[in-house]
Amino acid sequence: MIDCPVYKVPHKSLKIWCETDTPQGILGIFEIPNEGETITSRATELPLTVICDNLRDPGNMGTLVRTAAAVGCSKFITLPGCVDIWNSKVLRSGAGGHFRIPIINNLSWDNVINYIPNKSTVFIADTRRPTDWSLDDITKPLYDGIDEDSQDEKKSLVSSEEEIGDTHMSKRQELEMYKRLPLNVSLYTEVDFTSGDHTVLIVGGEMSGFSVQARKITHDNDGQCVMLPMATGINSLNSSVTASILLYEIHKQYTMKDRNNDGVENKKSY
């Protein structure tokens, strides 16, 4: 950045080049970093990966990129169905975060597992308001044909777990089985995010929520959904707000864990 040339141009030129109606008076032109790389070095990074699942709002995406970079996440992954992470609105909301965190863009679900380290714990950031059923140990299965109070449901869930182990199932059949499997759910204050060697946080969109593929990868890694407490009358939170609170809770837990292990305060700063 030291050798970056600076040019003074007429305001009318900025209005031509910028997509905003009222440019802020400064415009930068940068080369997109190679996938998984940053243009700046980082002294330390948190053993934390953020995965965006159907996150379509540019403001939410940019805010999440900015927060993930501030926390010091090791990777930021977007999946098909998300807004383009290099969209101009996302870039403005990101406020430079794009260049300070390794980004893997538009990764397929089939390849996600290759970017999750061994002994990782996976969590889904659920933006909905906790309810009686959602805090009753498990989330509601995504299968409309199941009566929660019937004995048939219990048999169906057991059958689903057995069928998942069948190597002759098609991928579509397998995902259908995961729709029928519940996930554990907890308030974020009750969760140890540092129980594994690496933490993975999946963030879904506010409208579409998280996909069945997210449920699958969470279930396969003994993960769970995480919710935030909300006052009566509020049914959900903004995706980036929910994720930001969880990211800093994870940051706090890793920092405290490091201090306890080393016995010296501020031994490592994430």
Side-chain angles (χ1 to χ4, degrees), residues 20-238:
T20 55
D21 293 332
T22 53
Q24 295 181 342
I26 185 170
L27 172 69
I29 301 175
F30 300 91
E31 183 178 357
I32 294 177
N34 294 328
E35 192 167 274
E37 297 181 0
T38 62
I39 64 173
T40 57
S41 59
R42 298 189 295 173
T44 59
E45 64 180 23
L46 210 63
L48 169 62
T49 295
V50 173
I51 299 178
C52 298
D53 179 26
N54 289 320
L55 194 59
R56 297 169 183 170
D57 182 78
N60 275 339
M61 178 67 81
T63 300
L64 188 52
V65 170
R66 185 177 185 178
T67 305
V71 167
C73 294
S74 60
K75 286 188 292 291
F76 192 97
I77 297 173
T78 68
L79 300 165
C82 290
V83 62
D84 181 11
I85 200 167
W86 297 105
N87 174 287
S88 60
K89 292 183 179 179
V90 179
L91 283 168
R92 288 196 296 273
S93 297
H98 288 69
F99 305 101
R100 299 183 179 277
I101 185 172
I103 293 174
I104 297 92
N105 190 30
N106 204 32
L107 187 69
S108 69
W109 275 111
D110 290 338
N111 290 322
V112 165
I113 193 65
N114 298 323
Y115 290 83
I116 296 179
N118 294 330
K119 299 181 180 179
S120 292
T121 51
V122 180
F123 301 93
I124 290 177
D126 201 327
T127 62
R128 296 171 296 176
R129 179 179 180 271
T131 58
D132 291 340
W133 65 259
S134 67
L135 291 179
D136 188 20
D137 297 328
I138 59 176
T139 60
K140 214 172 192 177
L142 297 177
Y143 188 70
D144 295 335
I146 293 180
D147 179 4
E148 290 183 348
D149 298 325
S150 69
Q151 194 67 22
D152 292 339
E153 176 195 6
K154 297 180 180 179
K155 295 179 181 178
S156 178
L157 295 177
V158 172
S159 175
S160 297
E161 292 180 340
E162 292 174 350
E163 290 176 29
I164 285 175
D166 186 353
T167 56
H168 298 290
M169 290 177 63
S170 68
K171 184 179 295 185
R172 183 173 180 178
Q173 289 174 317
E174 184 182 34
L175 290 178
E176 284 297 319
M177 293 302 101
Y178 276 99
K179 282 186 179 181
R180 300 162 62 180
L181 291 176
L183 284 171
N184 291 332
V185 62
S186 301
L187 290 174
Y188 84 105
T189 52
E190 301 171 354
V191 176
D192 179 6
F193 291 99
T194 66
S195 58
D197 293 342
H198 193 94
T199 303
V200 177
L201 183 66
I202 301 177
V203 183
E206 292 176 46
M207 296 298 296
S208 55
F210 47 88
S211 63
V212 64
Q213 290 90 342
R215 292 178 69 95
K216 178 183 185 301
I217 201 168
T218 304
H219 187 280
D220 290 348
N221 287 275
D222 298 321
Q224 62 177 304
C225 285
V226 183
M227 288 183 164
L228 274 62
M230 302 178 205
T232 303
I234 304 300
N235 295 321
S236 66
L237 282 175
N238 179 284

